[in-house]
Amino acid sequence: MSDLKKAAARAAKLRELINDYRYHYHVLNKSIMSEAAADSLKHELTRIEEKYPDLITADSPTQRVAGEPLPGFKQVQHSSRMLSLNDVFDADELAAWIDRIKKLLPAGTKLEYFMDIKMDGLAAALDYQDGVYKQAITRGDGFVGEDVSANVRTIESVPLRLRQTKDNAKFLRGRTEIRGEIVMYKEDFRKLNARQAKAGRPAFANPRNTAAGTIRQLNPKLVAARPLHFHAYDLIRDSKAEVPTNNFAYETLCALGIIANPMATVAKSADEIINFYKKWEHERQKLPFNTDGLVVKVNDRRLHERLGVVGKAPRGSVAFKYPAEQATTKVKDIFVSIGRTGAATPVAMLEPVVVAGSTVQMATLHNEGEVHRKDIRIGDSVIVHKAGDVIPEVIRPLVKLRDGSEKKFVMPTRCPDCGTRLVKAKATEAIWRCPNNACPSRSWKLIGHFASKGALDIDGLGEKNAMALIEAGLIKDPADIYKIKNDDLLKLERFADISAAKLVAAIQDKKNPPLPRFIYALGIRQVGEQTAIDLANHFHSLEKLRSATIDELSQIEGVGEVVAESIVEWFARPSHKRLLDKFKKLGVKPQEIRRSAGPLTGKSFVITGSLESISREEAAERIRARGGTFQTSVGNETDYLVVGDNVGANKLDRAEKLGTKQIDEQKLLDLLSK
Ligand code: IVH
C-alpha cells in the first residue's frame, strides 16, 4: 500500500474513533476514553491532514475548530416557516384545545399526543446534506434567519456527520433538516458567572440570553469557549411520509447521533398529559436547562399538518406552561441591608404577592446602580421574578402605571445601623460598604460566620445567639467572644447553667484554631474555604499573610487579582489591624502550619460518598498532614477520587471523563499509613 493510501486509511479510522468518543461524551454522557487520549488521537489526525491536505474532509473532527471572525451574518430563507406555539395554562385550557382540534378532524379520529419539555434557549435549524453538516440558521422572523453555521459548528453535541445505523440509511441521503434548541446548562451558566465575578466583570442575565448572545458572536473562537448544547425536537425531510410521527422523529434523531430529550413520550389522553405535566412540575428543577412548561403535539404528523396554522402557531401543538414565576406588585419602600462583609444592599419591601407558589415580601435590588439603571422608585408597580430557590428579584417597574407620587431612591451616605460613612473600595465598584467592623448589623452575621462549621465550628454560637450577645453589650466583634464568662451569659434569658458553661468551653476550646479555618473565619471577601487553605499552605502563618503584597498573592494558584486585591485591602484597614491585635492579646493563636514535604506531597484527593472508618474532615486533615491536598470537586489536577458508600453521580462521572484514578477506602488508609 502506498504511503498516501495508508495515511488515508489511518485518518478514516481515527476520525471514526474520535467521533465515537465525542458522541459518547457529548450526546450519551458516557466516556470511552480519557480526554487526554482523545486529544492525542486528534493530534495524530491533524498531523496526517497537515501532511496530506487532500485527505481533509468537511466532517473531520479537526474541522470543528473555531474559524476566523465573520464580517456579519448572512440572511438565509428557511425551507419551511419556523413557527411558535400558543400557550395553555391549566387542565381546562388543555381540554379546550383538545376539543377544538378534535372538531376539525373526522369524527372518531383516535388522537395520540407527543410530549416534551419546552427548553428555554434559542431555536436553530441545522441542515445536513448526505449526512454531512452544512449549515445552521437561527429562527429570525420565522421565514428568514441568520447563517450561524461557523458558530454552531463549535457545539460538540452537534455531529458534523450523522451516525448511520441499519434502519436510518435514507436520512443520510439528500437533505435532512434538524430543528432544535440551543441551550446553556444552568450549571455552566452558574460557573460562567462565577468566573465573571472573580474577574470583576458584570454578570450575565440568564442562560437563554447568554446562549443567544453567544450564538450571535461574530468570533467563533468566543463561541467555542462557551459551553452550549443542542437538543433537537424536529426532523424534516422533503418527503414527509418518511417521518410519520413525532415519536418516530425522536427515535430517528437519537439513532442519527443527535440529542433528543429522553423523557419525551407519547400520551393517549388528556389525563396522561396532566400526569406528565405534574410529574415534571417539580422534577424540572433537576433538569440541566431552564424550562417553563411542556410542548404537546399531535403525534401523527399527517394529522398535525392537516390541522394547519393560525397566525404564527400550528393548531396541532401547544405549549403547556407552568404557573408564572413572575407577578406584579408594589414597592412599599426601599431600605438598605448590611451584609456580613459590610456590603450595603438596597432591598425592596413589597406588598406581599404569590410568585411560583410562595409569598414574596422582599426582593434584592443588588446595588445602587441597579436601582437607578432599572429606575425602580418607591411606590412603583413592578414585575417580580422568582426562580427555584433563588432570592426574588425586581425585573422592572411598570412605568405607565406611575401617578406621580413615586419617590426616587436615594442611597444613604451613612450606614443605617451604625452611622459610619459608607465607602467604595474603588470608584468603579458597584457596591457601597459599611467599613465598621463593629457595626451591629454586620457583626452578628460576621460572628455567626466566624463560629460556623467551616470556620471555627463553635457549637452554640449561631447568628441568633451572636445577636443576643451583641444586644446585651457583651461583644462587638469576633475577638470579644473569647472574653465571655459564665456569669455574663447567665444574666441573659437564653442561657442556663449548662448551656452557658458549654458555650464558654466551646469558645475557649478554639483558641488555637487551624490557620486555614481562622483565615476563612475572618470573612475576607472572595476568600472561601479552599482559598483559605491555599493561603495557609503558602504562607504558613498569619503574620506572613498580613504583610503579603498583591504580586505575591497573585502567584498562588487559585488566587486571581481580584482575590489578591481584596485580601490586601482587608489587612490594610486599621479596624482589621486592631481586630487581629485584639485576638493576639486574648491569646488566640492560629496553629501555624509547617507543611513539610510528606509521602503525599503533590497528590490531590477528592472523596465521594461516606467512608466507614474515618470522617471526611479527619481524612482531609490526615491527607494534608502528609503533604497532600484535599479538594471538594474533581478537576484536571485531581490525582485520586476516593469512592465511599452512597456516592453521588457527579464526581464519579467527572472522574470517568477526566480519567482520574479511583481508589477505595482501604487504599486511602494504606496511603495514609505510609
Ligand atoms: S416543538 C412550532 N419542542 O419553543 C414550533 N419546540 O414557542 C414547536 N422549544 O420556537 C417546535 N423546546 O424553539 C418544540 N421540546 C420542544 C421545544 C420547543 C423549546 C421552542 C422552539 C419554538 C418555541 C415555540
Side-chain angles (χ1 to χ4, degrees), residues 81-87 115-124 139 179-182 231-234 250 261 264 293-297 304 312-314 317 319 321:
R81 187 174 171 195
M82 284 188 91
L83 296 162
S84 15
L85 295 173
N86 289 327
D87 294 335
M115 312 175 286
D116 189 7
I117 301 290
K118 187 170 191 295
M119 296 160 283
D120 196 13
L122 71 144
R139 180 178 189 283
R179 290 184 177 177
E181 202 79 354
I182 296 172
H231 288 227
Y233 51 68
D234 206 355
Y250 271 54
N261 289 333
L294 309 179
V295 174
V296 185
K297 334 181 207 188
H304 191 276
K312 288 183 180 177
S317 301
K321 294 281 194 71

Short mmCIF file of all heavy atoms in Angstrom, two decimals, residues 81-87 115-124 139 179-182 231-234 250 261 264 293-297 304 312-314 317 319 321, ligand 1:
data_model
loop_
_atom_site.label_atom_id
_atom_site.label_comp_id
_atom_site.label_asym_id
_atom_site.label_seq_id
_atom_site.Cartn_x
_atom_site.Cartn_y
_atom_site.Cartn_z
N ARG A 81 -41.48 27.58 7.21
CA ARG A 81 -41.52 28.59 8.26
C ARG A 81 -41.26 27.99 9.64
O ARG A 81 -41.74 26.89 9.93
CB ARG A 81 -42.92 29.22 8.23
CG ARG A 81 -43.07 30.39 9.13
CD ARG A 81 -44.42 31.01 8.90
NE ARG A 81 -44.71 32.02 9.89
CZ ARG A 81 -45.91 32.52 10.11
NH1 ARG A 81 -46.94 32.14 9.38
NH2 ARG A 81 -46.08 33.44 11.03
N MET A 82 -40.49 28.70 10.47
CA MET A 82 -40.31 28.25 11.86
C MET A 82 -41.40 28.92 12.68
O MET A 82 -41.41 30.13 12.84
CB MET A 82 -38.93 28.61 12.38
CG MET A 82 -37.84 27.71 11.83
SD MET A 82 -36.24 27.96 12.62
CE MET A 82 -36.30 26.78 13.95
N LEU A 83 -42.30 28.11 13.21
CA LEU A 83 -43.48 28.66 13.88
C LEU A 83 -43.25 28.83 15.37
O LEU A 83 -42.22 28.43 15.91
CB LEU A 83 -44.66 27.71 13.64
CG LEU A 83 -45.06 27.58 12.16
CD1 LEU A 83 -45.90 26.34 11.93
CD2 LEU A 83 -45.81 28.83 11.71
N SER A 84 -44.21 29.47 16.05
CA SER A 84 -44.16 29.49 17.52
C SER A 84 -45.35 28.72 18.05
O SER A 84 -46.07 28.08 17.28
CB SER A 84 -44.14 30.90 18.08
OG SER A 84 -44.51 31.83 17.13
N LEU A 85 -45.58 28.78 19.35
CA LEU A 85 -46.65 27.97 19.94
C LEU A 85 -47.61 28.85 20.72
O LEU A 85 -47.21 29.84 21.33
CB LEU A 85 -46.05 26.95 20.92
CG LEU A 85 -45.15 25.87 20.32
CD1 LEU A 85 -44.49 25.06 21.44
CD2 LEU A 85 -45.97 24.95 19.43
N ASN A 86 -48.89 28.47 20.72
CA ASN A 86 -49.83 29.11 21.63
C ASN A 86 -49.72 28.42 22.98
O ASN A 86 -49.35 27.25 23.06
CB ASN A 86 -51.25 28.98 21.09
CG ASN A 86 -51.44 29.87 19.87
OD1 ASN A 86 -50.84 30.94 19.77
ND2 ASN A 86 -52.25 29.40 18.92
N ASP A 87 -50.06 29.18 24.05
CA ASP A 87 -49.92 28.64 25.41
C ASP A 87 -51.24 28.14 25.95
O ASP A 87 -52.29 28.72 25.67
CB ASP A 87 -49.46 29.76 26.35
CG ASP A 87 -48.06 30.24 26.02
OD1 ASP A 87 -47.30 29.46 25.43
OD2 ASP A 87 -47.75 31.40 26.36
N MET A 115 -45.25 14.44 23.88
CA MET A 115 -44.94 15.49 24.87
C MET A 115 -43.43 15.58 25.08
O MET A 115 -42.75 14.56 25.18
CB MET A 115 -45.56 15.15 26.21
CG MET A 115 -47.02 14.76 26.13
SD MET A 115 -47.62 14.24 27.74
CE MET A 115 -46.87 12.64 27.93
N ASP A 116 -42.94 16.79 25.19
CA ASP A 116 -41.53 17.01 25.53
C ASP A 116 -41.47 18.21 26.46
O ASP A 116 -42.42 18.98 26.58
CB ASP A 116 -40.72 17.27 24.24
CG ASP A 116 -39.20 17.28 24.49
OD1 ASP A 116 -38.77 16.95 25.61
OD2 ASP A 116 -38.46 17.61 23.54
N ILE A 117 -40.32 18.36 27.11
CA ILE A 117 -40.07 19.55 27.91
C ILE A 117 -39.79 20.70 26.95
O ILE A 117 -39.10 20.53 25.95
CB ILE A 117 -38.82 19.33 28.80
CG1 ILE A 117 -39.00 18.11 29.72
CG2 ILE A 117 -38.46 20.58 29.57
CD1 ILE A 117 -39.99 18.28 30.81
N LYS A 118 -40.35 21.87 27.27
CA LYS A 118 -40.06 23.05 26.45
C LYS A 118 -38.78 23.70 26.98
O LYS A 118 -38.75 24.19 28.11
CB LYS A 118 -41.23 24.03 26.52
CG LYS A 118 -41.09 25.20 25.58
CD LYS A 118 -42.40 25.98 25.54
CE LYS A 118 -42.40 26.98 24.41
NZ LYS A 118 -41.41 28.05 24.58
N MET A 119 -37.76 23.66 26.16
CA MET A 119 -36.46 24.15 26.63
C MET A 119 -36.35 25.66 26.43
O MET A 119 -36.84 26.20 25.45
CB MET A 119 -35.35 23.44 25.85
CG MET A 119 -35.32 21.96 26.12
SD MET A 119 -34.44 21.06 24.84
CE MET A 119 -35.61 21.01 23.52
N ASP A 120 -35.66 26.29 27.36
CA ASP A 120 -35.52 27.74 27.31
C ASP A 120 -34.17 28.10 26.69
O ASP A 120 -33.18 28.24 27.37
CB ASP A 120 -35.63 28.30 28.72
CG ASP A 120 -35.88 29.77 28.71
OD1 ASP A 120 -36.20 30.32 27.64
OD2 ASP A 120 -35.74 30.39 29.78
N GLY A 121 -34.16 28.19 25.38
CA GLY A 121 -32.91 28.53 24.69
C GLY A 121 -33.26 29.28 23.43
O GLY A 121 -34.19 30.08 23.43
N LEU A 122 -32.51 29.03 22.36
CA LEU A 122 -32.89 29.67 21.11
C LEU A 122 -32.97 28.60 20.03
O LEU A 122 -32.21 27.64 20.03
CB LEU A 122 -31.91 30.77 20.72
CG LEU A 122 -30.53 30.35 20.26
CD1 LEU A 122 -30.05 31.28 19.16
CD2 LEU A 122 -29.59 30.38 21.42
N ALA A 123 -33.93 28.79 19.13
CA ALA A 123 -34.18 27.77 18.12
C ALA A 123 -33.14 27.88 17.01
O ALA A 123 -32.69 28.97 16.68
CB ALA A 123 -35.57 27.96 17.55
N ALA A 124 -32.78 26.72 16.46
CA ALA A 124 -31.88 26.72 15.30
C ALA A 124 -32.28 25.58 14.37
O ALA A 124 -32.81 24.56 14.81
CB ALA A 124 -30.44 26.54 15.74
N ARG A 139 -33.68 31.24 14.15
CA ARG A 139 -35.09 31.33 13.83
C ARG A 139 -35.42 32.61 13.05
O ARG A 139 -36.19 32.59 12.10
CB ARG A 139 -35.88 31.30 15.14
CG ARG A 139 -37.34 31.37 14.98
CD ARG A 139 -37.98 31.28 16.35
NE ARG A 139 -39.41 31.13 16.23
CZ ARG A 139 -40.22 32.12 15.94
NH1 ARG A 139 -39.73 33.33 15.75
NH2 ARG A 139 -41.51 31.92 15.82
N ARG A 179 -34.26 20.47 13.52
CA ARG A 179 -34.51 21.69 14.27
C ARG A 179 -34.45 21.39 15.76
O ARG A 179 -34.82 20.29 16.18
CB ARG A 179 -35.89 22.27 13.91
CG ARG A 179 -35.88 22.81 12.49
CD ARG A 179 -37.18 23.47 12.12
NE ARG A 179 -37.08 24.04 10.78
CZ ARG A 179 -38.08 24.63 10.16
NH1 ARG A 179 -39.27 24.74 10.74
NH2 ARG A 179 -37.89 25.12 8.95
N GLY A 180 -34.03 22.35 16.50
CA GLY A 180 -33.94 22.12 17.95
C GLY A 180 -33.58 23.40 18.66
O GLY A 180 -33.62 24.49 18.09
N GLU A 181 -33.24 23.22 19.92
CA GLU A 181 -32.98 24.38 20.78
C GLU A 181 -31.51 24.36 21.19
O GLU A 181 -30.98 23.32 21.60
CB GLU A 181 -33.90 24.24 22.01
CG GLU A 181 -34.18 25.50 22.75
CD GLU A 181 -35.25 26.39 22.08
OE1 GLU A 181 -35.71 26.08 20.96
OE2 GLU A 181 -35.59 27.41 22.69
N ILE A 182 -30.87 25.52 21.07
CA ILE A 182 -29.51 25.65 21.60
C ILE A 182 -29.64 26.17 23.02
O ILE A 182 -30.27 27.20 23.25
CB ILE A 182 -28.67 26.62 20.74
CG1 ILE A 182 -28.51 26.04 19.33
CG2 ILE A 182 -27.31 26.87 21.39
CD1 ILE A 182 -27.86 26.99 18.35
N HIS A 231 -30.29 20.46 21.62
CA HIS A 231 -31.28 19.40 21.85
C HIS A 231 -32.33 19.51 20.74
O HIS A 231 -33.02 20.53 20.64
CB HIS A 231 -31.96 19.55 23.20
CG HIS A 231 -31.07 19.22 24.36
ND1 HIS A 231 -31.46 18.42 25.40
CD2 HIS A 231 -29.79 19.58 24.64
CE1 HIS A 231 -30.47 18.31 26.27
NE2 HIS A 231 -29.45 19.01 25.83
N ALA A 232 -32.47 18.45 19.95
CA ALA A 232 -33.35 18.52 18.79
C ALA A 232 -34.80 18.23 19.16
O ALA A 232 -35.08 17.52 20.12
CB ALA A 232 -32.88 17.52 17.74
N TYR A 233 -35.73 18.80 18.38
CA TYR A 233 -37.15 18.45 18.56
C TYR A 233 -37.87 18.21 17.24
O TYR A 233 -39.06 17.94 17.22
CB TYR A 233 -37.89 19.50 19.40
CG TYR A 233 -37.72 20.94 18.93
CD1 TYR A 233 -38.27 21.37 17.73
CD2 TYR A 233 -37.03 21.85 19.72
CE1 TYR A 233 -38.13 22.68 17.31
CE2 TYR A 233 -36.88 23.17 19.30
CZ TYR A 233 -37.43 23.57 18.09
OH TYR A 233 -37.28 24.86 17.68
N ASP A 234 -37.17 18.34 16.13
CA ASP A 234 -37.87 18.14 14.86
C ASP A 234 -36.91 17.60 13.80
O ASP A 234 -35.73 17.98 13.76
CB ASP A 234 -38.45 19.48 14.38
CG ASP A 234 -39.66 19.26 13.48
OD1 ASP A 234 -39.97 18.10 13.16
OD2 ASP A 234 -40.28 20.28 13.09
N TYR A 250 -38.14 11.50 17.04
CA TYR A 250 -37.21 11.50 18.17
C TYR A 250 -36.33 10.24 18.16
O TYR A 250 -35.13 10.31 18.40
CB TYR A 250 -37.97 11.60 19.50
CG TYR A 250 -38.21 13.04 19.95
CD1 TYR A 250 -38.83 13.95 19.09
CD2 TYR A 250 -37.82 13.49 21.21
CE1 TYR A 250 -39.06 15.26 19.49
CE2 TYR A 250 -38.05 14.80 21.61
CZ TYR A 250 -38.66 15.68 20.76
OH TYR A 250 -38.88 16.98 21.15
N ASN A 261 -34.55 14.89 23.83
CA ASN A 261 -34.79 14.62 25.25
C ASN A 261 -35.33 13.23 25.50
O ASN A 261 -36.35 12.84 24.91
CB ASN A 261 -35.75 15.66 25.83
CG ASN A 261 -35.09 17.01 25.93
OD1 ASN A 261 -33.87 17.08 26.05
ND2 ASN A 261 -35.88 18.07 25.84
N ALA A 264 -39.12 12.65 26.67
CA ALA A 264 -40.22 12.92 25.74
C ALA A 264 -40.95 11.61 25.46
O ALA A 264 -40.32 10.58 25.27
CB ALA A 264 -39.68 13.51 24.44
N GLY A 293 -42.34 24.94 30.87
CA GLY A 293 -43.53 24.14 30.54
C GLY A 293 -43.21 22.98 29.62
O GLY A 293 -42.05 22.58 29.47
N LEU A 294 -44.26 22.43 29.01
CA LEU A 294 -44.11 21.31 28.09
C LEU A 294 -44.48 21.78 26.69
O LEU A 294 -45.14 22.80 26.52
CB LEU A 294 -45.11 20.19 28.43
CG LEU A 294 -45.17 19.68 29.85
CD1 LEU A 294 -46.24 18.58 29.94
CD2 LEU A 294 -43.82 19.14 30.27
N VAL A 295 -44.09 20.97 25.70
CA VAL A 295 -44.66 21.12 24.37
C VAL A 295 -45.50 19.87 24.13
O VAL A 295 -45.02 18.76 24.36
CB VAL A 295 -43.55 21.23 23.29
CG1 VAL A 295 -44.17 21.25 21.90
CG2 VAL A 295 -42.72 22.48 23.52
N VAL A 296 -46.75 20.05 23.74
CA VAL A 296 -47.61 18.89 23.44
C VAL A 296 -48.02 19.00 21.97
O VAL A 296 -48.54 20.05 21.55
CB VAL A 296 -48.87 18.90 24.33
CG1 VAL A 296 -49.70 17.63 24.09
CG2 VAL A 296 -48.49 19.01 25.80
N LYS A 297 -47.78 17.93 21.22
CA LYS A 297 -48.14 17.97 19.80
C LYS A 297 -48.93 16.72 19.42
O LYS A 297 -48.74 15.66 20.03
CB LYS A 297 -46.91 17.98 18.88
CG LYS A 297 -45.64 18.55 19.44
CD LYS A 297 -44.54 18.49 18.37
CE LYS A 297 -43.18 18.39 19.02
NZ LYS A 297 -42.06 18.50 18.14
N HIS A 304 -51.31 16.35 12.11
CA HIS A 304 -50.78 17.64 12.59
C HIS A 304 -50.80 18.65 11.45
O HIS A 304 -51.26 19.79 11.60
CB HIS A 304 -49.36 17.45 13.12
CG HIS A 304 -48.82 18.63 13.86
ND1 HIS A 304 -48.23 19.70 13.23
CD2 HIS A 304 -48.79 18.94 15.19
CE1 HIS A 304 -47.85 20.60 14.12
NE2 HIS A 304 -48.19 20.16 15.33
N LYS A 312 -49.18 32.58 13.91
CA LYS A 312 -47.81 32.07 13.82
C LYS A 312 -47.69 30.67 14.39
O LYS A 312 -46.58 30.14 14.48
CB LYS A 312 -46.89 32.97 14.65
CG LYS A 312 -46.64 34.32 14.06
CD LYS A 312 -45.65 35.02 14.96
CE LYS A 312 -45.31 36.40 14.47
NZ LYS A 312 -44.42 37.08 15.38
N ALA A 313 -48.81 30.08 14.82
CA ALA A 313 -48.70 28.82 15.56
C ALA A 313 -49.48 27.69 14.89
O ALA A 313 -50.57 27.92 14.36
CB ALA A 313 -49.20 29.03 16.99
N PRO A 314 -48.92 26.47 14.94
CA PRO A 314 -49.67 25.34 14.40
C PRO A 314 -50.83 25.00 15.34
O PRO A 314 -50.67 25.07 16.55
CB PRO A 314 -48.64 24.21 14.39
CG PRO A 314 -47.63 24.58 15.42
CD PRO A 314 -47.63 26.08 15.51
N SER A 317 -50.25 21.85 17.94
CA SER A 317 -49.29 21.85 19.06
C SER A 317 -49.64 22.97 20.03
O SER A 317 -50.14 24.01 19.61
CB SER A 317 -47.86 22.11 18.58
OG SER A 317 -47.44 21.15 17.65
N ALA A 319 -47.98 24.94 23.87
CA ALA A 319 -47.05 24.96 25.00
C ALA A 319 -47.93 24.90 26.24
O ALA A 319 -48.84 25.71 26.39
CB ALA A 319 -46.23 26.24 24.98
N LYS A 321 -47.89 25.53 29.87
CA LYS A 321 -46.96 26.27 30.73
C LYS A 321 -47.21 26.04 32.22
O LYS A 321 -48.35 25.83 32.64
CB LYS A 321 -47.13 27.78 30.46
CG LYS A 321 -46.70 28.22 29.08
CD LYS A 321 -45.19 28.33 29.02
CE LYS A 321 -44.70 29.07 27.81
NZ LYS A 321 -44.95 30.50 27.83
S1 IVH B 1 -41.56 21.76 19.00
C1 IVH B 1 -43.90 25.21 16.38
N1 IVH B 1 -40.33 21.19 21.19
O1 IVH B 1 -40.38 26.75 21.63
C2 IVH B 1 -42.60 25.03 17.00
N2 IVH B 1 -40.27 23.44 20.50
O2 IVH B 1 -42.69 28.65 21.30
C3 IVH B 1 -42.65 23.96 18.01
N3 IVH B 1 -38.98 24.89 22.01
O3 IVH B 1 -39.58 28.10 18.55
C4 IVH B 1 -41.47 23.14 17.95
N4 IVH B 1 -38.40 23.33 23.41
O4 IVH B 1 -37.68 26.96 19.74
C5 IVH B 1 -40.65 22.16 20.34
N5 IVH B 1 -39.27 20.46 23.09
C6 IVH B 1 -39.57 21.44 22.25
C7 IVH B 1 -39.14 22.76 22.47
C8 IVH B 1 -39.53 23.74 21.56
C9 IVH B 1 -38.31 24.61 23.12
C10 IVH B 1 -39.10 26.24 21.41
C11 IVH B 1 -38.88 26.28 19.94
C12 IVH B 1 -40.01 27.09 19.40
C13 IVH B 1 -40.64 27.66 20.62
C14 IVH B 1 -42.12 27.78 20.39
#
